[in-house]
Amino acid sequence: MSYIINPYRFAAAGPSCDYVEATGGTVTTDGDYKVHTFTGSGTFQVTCAGSTDDEVRYLVVAGGGGGGNHGGGGAGGYRAASGFAVTVQSYTITVGGGGAGGASGGYENQGGDGSDSVFSTITSDGGGGGGAYSNGGRDG
């Protein structure tokens, strides 16, 4: 008698985890939640989407604007929400840096704008740079 063994026969058709499993960033635990913190750009890799819950919460904070010699820089924007459905794939994380401060002295030293931060389709805008005396002290 011959047997043909199909190694895929007993594989689960769907996810084999109840909740999202992922790697990337610095991972900590807060109660029942795993938190992935990125202080620099990287990859959030979902390895299992979860059969009970395939959604994540997110907080995306952009870089703040640098101060000018006649006005402070604006705060980086932020977006936060829950209910963002994920699938098994890599999500690129872009962490926006803060803007450079305007050099002291002189009237032309405006602060640089902060950079945007991005998670998947979620973008937070970088803060505006502070103004210089010569441009009327624009707001950040």
Side-chain angles (χ1 to χ4, degrees), residues 7 18 21 52 70 84 99-100 136:
D18 290 333
E21 293 179 6
T52 302
H70 197 73
F84 185 83

Side-chain angles (χ1 to χ4, degrees), residues 63-68 70-76 110-114 126-132 135-140:
H70 197 73
Q110 180 172 306
D113 291 340
N135 71 1
R138 79 175 179 130
D139 292 332

Side-chain angles (χ1 to χ4, degrees), residues 57-87:
R57 296 178 182 183
Y58 62 83
L59 170 64
V60 180
V61 181
N69 71 352
H70 197 73
Y78 80 95
R79 297 194 53 196
S82 59
F84 185 83
V86 295
T87 60

Side-chain angles (χ1 to χ4, degrees), residues 58 60-62 77-79 116-126:
Y58 62 83
V60 180
V61 181
Y78 80 95
R79 297 194 53 196
D116 296 349
S117 289
V118 182
F119 162 56
S120 186
T121 59
I122 312 302
T123 301
S124 292
D125 295 333

Side-chain angles (χ1 to χ4, degrees), residues 19-27 34-38 40-49 54-58 84-94 118-120:
Y19 301 97
V20 173
E21 293 179 6
T23 62
T26 300
V27 182
K34 291 211 177 197
V35 179
H36 295 255
T37 303
F38 292 83
S41 297
T43 302
F44 178 66
Q45 175 68 48
V46 176
T47 57
C48 187
D54 67 349
E55 297 178 342
V56 298
R57 296 178 182 183
Y58 62 83
F84 185 83
V86 295
T87 60
V88 175
Q89 65 175 313
S90 295
Y91 293 87
T92 299
I93 305 293
T94 303
V118 182
F119 162 56
S120 186

